[in-house]
Amino acid sequence: DGGITQSPKYLFRKEGQNVTLSCEQNLNHDAMYWYRQDPGQGLRLIYYSQIVNDFQKGDIAEGYSVSREKKESFPLTVTSAQKNPTAFYLCASSIPTGFYNEQFFGPGTRLTVL
Amino acid sequence: AQTVTQSQPEMSVQEAETVTLSCTYDTSENNYYLFWYKQPPSRQMILVIRQEAYKQQNATENRFSVNFQKAAKSFSLKISDSQLGDTAMYFCAFMTSGSARQLTFGSGTQLTVLP
């Protein structure tokens, strides 16, 4: 089945530690995105990548880093510089020039800082 | 920068009735795309319906339809014959037609369908 997988589903981190969230897709999509969701708010864009080895900051990139070494994978690292990392993180992918421009979402990772 | 506003944090509707969720947006662009996404308790984001700004005809997908008013920058979602499975958070989203194709989301409307 084609789709997007995120792991782990739940992640706990101690303050001061870096943590990496995994996002993999087998949809052959060129573009991938990371969003953060906080209670009572919509999704906010952290980083996005339209092609391998290239990525751009979104609206709230501070304290986060990404890499795009393979088309299928777009891991997100939450660094200790992120002041309030507890949130729900969603990964998405799309065909960047597709007519319908639909973004397909993974199931998400809930990160809790202890 | 684009902004998307959903002024109804919570709504409820009786099963089988019709409900309309509101969304307004602000942009200086002429070509863009609008979406409604649904997020049920599982938190999986699911596309409900999309609208291209250059199309005057309102999009329809089965029980879901939109009222797109470009001049008023309004994009409401109508759900007919509401079902219990429609209970979810609904997000309105805006996408530019440029190369970046970023989505800007509203804050969401929690819809509860009552039996």
Side-chain angles (χ1 to χ4, degrees):
Chain A
D1 288 336
I4 302 175
T5 57
Q6 291 185 244
S7 60
K9 187 173 182 178
Y10 299 98
L11 190 55
F12 298 89
R13 188 195 93 173
K14 293 182 179 180
E15 279 193 32
Q17 290 182 336
N18 292 355
V19 64
T20 298
L21 282 59
S22 170
C23 178
E24 303 276 335
Q25 55 98 0
N26 61 4
L27 300 168
N28 199 32
H29 287 170
D30 291 308
M32 297 186 74
Y33 310 81
W34 273 105
Y35 293 91
R36 170 180 171 140
Q37 186 178 19
D38 294 285
Q41 296 188 36
L43 281 65
R44 292 182 290 169
L45 183 65
I46 305 172
Y47 268 98
Y48 66 99
S49 168
Q50 292 183 285
I51 56 173
V52 174
N53 292 324
D54 186 48
F55 47 83
Q56 287 78 41
K57 293 181 178 180
D59 299 322
I60 55 167
E62 185 176 353
Y64 300 97
S65 65
V66 294
S67 63
R68 188 82 188 278
E69 297 177 1
K70 298 186 301 182
K71 187 176 184 178
E72 302 78 19
S73 178
F74 191 41
L76 173 74
T77 296
V78 185
T79 75
S80 57
Q82 169 49 234
K83 290 181 171 49
N84 186 19
T86 294
F88 187 64
Y89 291 87
L90 284 157
C91 178
S93 70
S94 73
I95 303 172
T97 56
F99 179 76
Y100 291 113
N101 304 300
E102 178 180 352
Q103 289 189 15
F104 295 82
F105 286 83
T109 292
R110 173 71 183 174
L111 173 63
T112 302
V113 175
L114 304 174
Chain B
Q2 290 77 28
T3 59
V4 178
T5 302
Q6 294 179 250
S7 58
Q8 305 152 312
E10 297 180 2
M11 295 187 71
S12 63
V13 62
Q14 291 293 137
E15 195 175 6
E17 294 190 345
T18 296
V19 64
T20 298
L21 281 58
S22 301
C23 172
T24 58
Y25 58 94
D26 188 23
T27 184
S28 57
E29 298 192 15
N30 190 47
N31 294 319
Y32 49 87
Y33 305 90
L34 295 163
F35 303 84
W36 279 98
Y37 278 89
K38 166 184 177 180
Q39 189 179 43
S42 67
R43 304 201 77 172
Q44 176 72 53
M45 293 287 285
I46 302 165
L47 179 65
V48 175
I49 197 165
R50 66 173 70 84
Q51 175 81 42
E52 292 85 356
Y54 62 85
K55 289 187 177 180
Q56 292 188 345
Q57 186 173 5
N58 289 324
T60 300
E61 289 286 345
N62 300 315
R63 297 183 295 108
F64 300 89
S65 62
V66 298
N67 183 2
F68 173 49
Q69 301 290 331
K70 191 173 183 179
K73 296 180 182 177
S74 171
F75 183 60
S76 62
L77 174 69
K78 185 172 82 170
I79 305 174
S80 304
D81 186 25
S82 296
Q83 301 176 359
L84 297 177
D86 294 334
T87 292
M89 182 73 85
Y90 287 82
F91 292 99
C92 178
F94 173 101
M95 178 186 284
T96 62
S97 61
S99 59
R101 301 293 171 90
Q102 298 177 52
L103 277 172
T104 300
F105 286 86
S107 57
T109 296
Q110 174 64 48
L111 176 67
T112 302
V113 179
L114 304 169

